[in-house]
Short mmCIF file of all heavy atoms in Angstrom, two decimals:
data_model
loop_
_atom_site.label_atom_id
_atom_site.label_comp_id
_atom_site.label_asym_id
_atom_site.label_seq_id
_atom_site.Cartn_x
_atom_site.Cartn_y
_atom_site.Cartn_z
N TYR A 1 113.41 95.50 48.48
CA TYR A 1 112.41 95.65 47.42
C TYR A 1 111.02 95.87 47.99
O TYR A 1 110.65 95.26 49.00
CB TYR A 1 112.38 94.41 46.53
CG TYR A 1 113.59 94.25 45.63
CD1 TYR A 1 114.75 93.68 46.10
CD2 TYR A 1 113.56 94.67 44.30
CE1 TYR A 1 115.87 93.52 45.28
CE2 TYR A 1 114.66 94.52 43.47
CZ TYR A 1 115.80 93.95 43.98
OH TYR A 1 116.90 93.80 43.16
N ILE A 2 110.27 96.71 47.32
CA ILE A 2 108.83 96.86 47.58
C ILE A 2 108.12 96.64 46.26
O ILE A 2 108.39 97.34 45.27
CB ILE A 2 108.48 98.26 48.12
CG1 ILE A 2 109.17 98.51 49.46
CG2 ILE A 2 106.98 98.42 48.25
CD1 ILE A 2 108.93 99.91 50.02
N THR A 3 107.22 95.67 46.21
CA THR A 3 106.49 95.37 44.99
C THR A 3 105.09 95.99 45.07
O THR A 3 104.35 95.75 46.02
CB THR A 3 106.36 93.86 44.78
OG1 THR A 3 107.67 93.27 44.72
CG2 THR A 3 105.64 93.55 43.47
N GLY A 4 104.75 96.80 44.07
CA GLY A 4 103.43 97.43 44.05
C GLY A 4 103.44 98.68 43.19
O GLY A 4 104.49 99.15 42.76
N GLU A 5 102.25 99.19 42.95
CA GLU A 5 102.13 100.43 42.20
C GLU A 5 102.73 101.58 43.01
O GLU A 5 102.58 101.64 44.24
CB GLU A 5 100.66 100.73 41.89
CG GLU A 5 99.99 99.73 40.97
CD GLU A 5 100.49 99.84 39.53
OE1 GLU A 5 101.11 100.87 39.20
OE2 GLU A 5 100.25 98.91 38.75
N LEU A 6 103.37 102.49 42.33
CA LEU A 6 104.02 103.62 43.00
C LEU A 6 103.04 104.42 43.84
O LEU A 6 103.39 104.95 44.90
CB LEU A 6 104.67 104.52 41.94
CG LEU A 6 105.68 105.56 42.44
CD1 LEU A 6 106.91 104.87 43.02
CD2 LEU A 6 106.08 106.49 41.31
N THR A 7 101.81 104.49 43.37
CA THR A 7 100.79 105.28 44.07
C THR A 7 100.13 104.53 45.21
O THR A 7 99.28 105.09 45.90
CB THR A 7 99.70 105.73 43.08
OG1 THR A 7 99.15 104.57 42.42
CG2 THR A 7 100.29 106.66 42.02
N GLN A 8 100.50 103.26 45.41
CA GLN A 8 99.81 102.46 46.42
C GLN A 8 100.72 101.92 47.52
O GLN A 8 100.22 101.33 48.48
CB GLN A 8 99.08 101.28 45.73
CG GLN A 8 97.99 101.74 44.78
CD GLN A 8 97.33 100.59 44.05
OE1 GLN A 8 97.66 99.42 44.26
NE2 GLN A 8 96.39 100.90 43.17
N VAL A 9 102.02 102.09 47.40
CA VAL A 9 102.92 101.61 48.44
C VAL A 9 102.87 102.56 49.63
O VAL A 9 102.38 103.69 49.53
CB VAL A 9 104.36 101.47 47.91
CG1 VAL A 9 104.40 100.48 46.76
CG2 VAL A 9 104.92 102.82 47.46
N ASP A 10 103.40 102.12 50.76
CA ASP A 10 103.33 102.91 52.00
C ASP A 10 104.47 103.93 52.03
O ASP A 10 105.59 103.64 52.46
CB ASP A 10 103.43 101.97 53.21
CG ASP A 10 103.10 102.68 54.52
OD1 ASP A 10 103.10 103.93 54.53
OD2 ASP A 10 102.85 102.00 55.52
N TRP A 11 104.16 105.15 51.60
CA TRP A 11 105.17 106.19 51.54
C TRP A 11 105.49 106.77 52.92
O TRP A 11 106.53 107.42 53.08
CB TRP A 11 104.73 107.30 50.59
CG TRP A 11 104.97 106.90 49.17
CD1 TRP A 11 104.08 106.34 48.30
CD2 TRP A 11 106.21 107.01 48.46
NE1 TRP A 11 104.68 106.08 47.10
CE2 TRP A 11 105.99 106.49 47.16
CE3 TRP A 11 107.48 107.48 48.79
CZ2 TRP A 11 107.00 106.43 46.20
CZ3 TRP A 11 108.49 107.42 47.84
CH2 TRP A 11 108.25 106.90 46.56
N ARG A 12 104.67 106.50 53.91
CA ARG A 12 105.00 106.96 55.26
C ARG A 12 106.23 106.22 55.78
O ARG A 12 107.11 106.82 56.40
CB ARG A 12 103.81 106.73 56.20
CG ARG A 12 102.61 107.64 55.93
CD ARG A 12 101.45 107.26 56.82
NE ARG A 12 100.99 105.89 56.54
CZ ARG A 12 100.01 105.30 57.20
NH1 ARG A 12 99.38 105.95 58.16
NH2 ARG A 12 99.65 104.06 56.89
N LYS A 13 106.29 104.93 55.50
CA LYS A 13 107.46 104.15 55.92
C LYS A 13 108.70 104.55 55.12
O LYS A 13 109.80 104.59 55.66
CB LYS A 13 107.17 102.66 55.74
CG LYS A 13 106.14 102.10 56.70
CD LYS A 13 105.98 100.61 56.52
CE LYS A 13 104.97 100.04 57.52
NZ LYS A 13 104.79 98.57 57.35
N ILE A 14 108.49 104.84 53.84
CA ILE A 14 109.63 105.26 53.01
C ILE A 14 110.18 106.59 53.49
O ILE A 14 111.39 106.79 53.59
CB ILE A 14 109.20 105.33 51.53
CG1 ILE A 14 108.76 103.94 51.04
CG2 ILE A 14 110.33 105.88 50.67
CD1 ILE A 14 108.15 103.95 49.67
N ALA A 15 109.28 107.52 53.82
CA ALA A 15 109.71 108.83 54.33
C ALA A 15 110.42 108.68 55.67
O ALA A 15 111.41 109.39 55.95
CB ALA A 15 108.51 109.76 54.45
N ALA A 16 109.95 107.75 56.50
CA ALA A 16 110.58 107.52 57.80
C ALA A 16 111.98 106.95 57.66
O ALA A 16 112.82 107.12 58.55
CB ALA A 16 109.71 106.58 58.63
N TRP A 17 112.24 106.30 56.54
CA TRP A 17 113.57 105.76 56.25
C TRP A 17 114.57 106.88 55.97
O TRP A 17 115.77 106.70 56.04
CB TRP A 17 113.46 104.81 55.06
CG TRP A 17 114.68 104.00 54.75
CD1 TRP A 17 115.34 103.15 55.60
CD2 TRP A 17 115.38 103.94 53.50
NE1 TRP A 17 116.41 102.57 54.95
CE2 TRP A 17 116.45 103.03 53.67
CE3 TRP A 17 115.20 104.56 52.27
CZ2 TRP A 17 117.34 102.73 52.64
CZ3 TRP A 17 116.07 104.26 51.24
CH2 TRP A 17 117.13 103.36 51.43
N LYS A 18 114.07 108.06 55.63
CA LYS A 18 114.84 109.27 55.38
C LYS A 18 115.87 109.10 54.25
O LYS A 18 117.08 109.21 54.48
CB LYS A 18 115.52 109.74 56.67
CG LYS A 18 114.55 110.13 57.77
CD LYS A 18 115.27 110.62 59.00
CE LYS A 18 114.27 111.03 60.09
NZ LYS A 18 114.94 111.51 61.32
N PRO A 19 115.39 108.88 53.05
CA PRO A 19 116.33 108.73 51.92
C PRO A 19 117.03 110.05 51.58
O PRO A 19 116.48 111.13 51.78
CB PRO A 19 115.42 108.28 50.77
CG PRO A 19 114.07 108.83 51.12
CD PRO A 19 113.99 108.76 52.62
N ASP A 20 118.24 109.91 51.06
CA ASP A 20 119.00 111.08 50.62
C ASP A 20 118.67 111.45 49.18
O ASP A 20 118.90 112.60 48.77
CB ASP A 20 120.50 110.80 50.73
CG ASP A 20 120.93 110.54 52.16
OD1 ASP A 20 120.90 111.50 52.95
OD2 ASP A 20 121.27 109.39 52.48
N ALA A 21 118.17 110.48 48.42
CA ALA A 21 117.86 110.73 47.01
C ALA A 21 116.78 109.78 46.54
O ALA A 21 116.64 108.67 47.06
CB ALA A 21 119.11 110.58 46.15
N VAL A 22 116.03 110.24 45.55
CA VAL A 22 115.04 109.41 44.87
C VAL A 22 115.36 109.44 43.38
O VAL A 22 115.36 110.51 42.77
CB VAL A 22 113.60 109.91 45.10
CG1 VAL A 22 112.61 109.06 44.31
CG2 VAL A 22 113.26 109.91 46.59
N ILE A 23 115.64 108.28 42.82
CA ILE A 23 115.91 108.18 41.38
C ILE A 23 114.65 107.63 40.72
O ILE A 23 114.25 106.49 40.97
CB ILE A 23 117.11 107.26 41.10
CG1 ILE A 23 118.36 107.80 41.80
CG2 ILE A 23 117.35 107.14 39.60
CD1 ILE A 23 119.59 106.92 41.66
N HIS A 24 114.03 108.45 39.91
CA HIS A 24 112.71 108.12 39.36
C HIS A 24 112.84 107.59 37.93
O HIS A 24 113.08 108.33 36.98
CB HIS A 24 111.82 109.35 39.38
CG HIS A 24 110.42 109.10 38.93
ND1 HIS A 24 109.74 107.93 39.20
CD2 HIS A 24 109.54 109.88 38.21
CE1 HIS A 24 108.53 107.99 38.68
NE2 HIS A 24 108.39 109.16 38.08
N LEU A 25 112.67 106.27 37.81
CA LEU A 25 112.75 105.59 36.51
C LEU A 25 111.42 104.96 36.10
O LEU A 25 111.26 104.56 34.94
CB LEU A 25 113.82 104.50 36.55
CG LEU A 25 115.27 104.97 36.62
CD1 LEU A 25 116.15 103.87 37.18
CD2 LEU A 25 115.75 105.40 35.26
N ALA A 26 110.49 104.86 37.03
CA ALA A 26 109.22 104.21 36.73
C ALA A 26 108.43 105.00 35.69
O ALA A 26 108.42 106.23 35.71
CB ALA A 26 108.39 104.07 38.01
N GLY A 27 107.78 104.28 34.79
CA GLY A 27 106.96 104.93 33.77
C GLY A 27 107.12 104.27 32.42
O GLY A 27 107.89 103.32 32.25
N PRO A 28 106.39 104.75 31.43
CA PRO A 28 106.45 104.19 30.07
C PRO A 28 107.87 104.26 29.51
O PRO A 28 108.63 105.16 29.82
CB PRO A 28 105.50 105.08 29.28
CG PRO A 28 104.58 105.68 30.30
CD PRO A 28 105.42 105.86 31.53
N ALA A 29 108.19 103.27 28.65
CA ALA A 29 109.56 103.20 28.12
C ALA A 29 109.61 103.15 26.59
O ALA A 29 110.70 103.22 26.03
CB ALA A 29 110.27 101.98 28.69
N LEU A 30 108.46 103.04 25.93
CA LEU A 30 108.47 102.88 24.47
C LEU A 30 107.69 104.02 23.80
O LEU A 30 106.53 104.26 24.11
CB LEU A 30 107.86 101.54 24.07
CG LEU A 30 108.64 100.29 24.52
CD1 LEU A 30 107.84 99.03 24.17
CD2 LEU A 30 110.01 100.25 23.87
N VAL A 31 108.36 104.69 22.87
CA VAL A 31 107.72 105.77 22.12
C VAL A 31 106.53 105.24 21.33
O VAL A 31 105.45 105.86 21.31
CB VAL A 31 108.73 106.44 21.18
CG1 VAL A 31 108.03 107.47 20.30
CG2 VAL A 31 109.84 107.10 21.96
N SER A 32 106.70 104.10 20.69
CA SER A 32 105.65 103.56 19.82
C SER A 32 104.36 103.27 20.58
O SER A 32 103.26 103.47 20.05
CB SER A 32 106.14 102.28 19.14
OG SER A 32 106.53 101.30 20.11
#
């Protein structure tokens, strides 16, 4: 786990991990 805003975490380390896929679920969830 990495806790933090998506725009503020260390993406250099994530890129170095060399993921095969990114599943993007972060964001607003309620229409209202």
Side-chain angles (χ1 to χ4, degrees):
Y1 288 83
I2 298 177
T3 302
E5 295 289 344
L6 194 65
T7 56
Q8 296 177 2
V9 299
D10 191 344
W11 281 95
R12 290 175 298 178
K13 291 183 178 180
I14 297 172
W17 189 57
K18 297 182 179 180
D20 297 291
V22 177
I23 301 176
H24 184 36
L25 290 158
L30 295 174
V31 174
S32 58

